Amino acid sequence: MQKFDTKGFRTWIEIDTAAIKHNYTLLRNLLSPHTKFMAVVKSNAYGHYLHDFALEIEKIGADWIGVDSIVEGIALREQGIKIPILVLGYTLPERIEEAANADITLSVATFETLEAVSRLDTKISIHI
């Protein structure tokens, strides 16, 4: 995780990567080995730096990463995240092909989105 000089700041956030690993391991051990684990890092990992947290949770062993938007998903792909990404929020139809090209799975909750997906020439994974 990033290190910042906290001198002069009244408040700051410190992220303990050992605690992330501990929490992941604790939750993972409650699940069947056949169950996939998705770490939700949407909305900038709730203020804890989307990219840093995603890299850490990928390294630890999460199977999926959940994000809020295609913007977050694309940013993670551009920063080297390799594991599957699911966009939990709405994706504008004009951004669907971009998601397909980046191998990002989309949530589909409207007929408009489903129709846009069906018109694609490119393969895309969706979650309905």
Side-chain angles (χ1 to χ4, degrees), residues 3-116:
K3 299 286 185 195
F4 293 99
D5 180 6
T6 57
K7 184 179 178 184
F9 288 96
R10 293 184 310 118
T11 61
W12 63 88
I13 296 172
E14 291 184 13
I15 299 171
D16 183 345
T17 55
I20 294 170
K21 185 173 184 176
H22 170 79
N23 292 344
Y24 169 82
T25 303
L26 186 73
L27 292 170
R28 181 78 245 176
N29 289 334
L30 295 173
L31 303 172
S32 158
H34 304 292
T35 301
K36 300 290 184 187
F37 187 100
M38 178 184 290
V40 178
V41 298
K42 68 185 197 73
S43 302
N44 197 25
Y46 301 100
H48 296 96
Y49 305 105
L50 178 73
H51 176 251
D52 291 343
F53 192 89
L55 278 176
E56 188 66 25
I57 203 71
E58 179 181 48
K59 181 173 73 175
I60 291 169
D63 301 297
W64 282 78
I65 291 179
V67 297
D68 175 58
S69 68
I70 188 63
V71 172
E72 290 182 339
I74 295 294
L76 289 181
R77 283 288 185 248
E78 289 174 348
Q79 293 167 350
I81 298 297
K82 303 282 188 243
I83 62 175
I85 296 172
L86 172 65
V87 174
L88 299 164
Y90 175 76
T91 300
L92 294 169
E94 58 267 22
R95 305 276 323 250
I96 291 173
E97 188 170 358
E98 184 179 7
N101 292 335
D103 192 26
I104 295 173
T105 302
L106 298 180
S107 296
V108 174
T110 68
F111 286 112
E112 174 192 35
T113 304
L114 188 58
E115 288 170 9

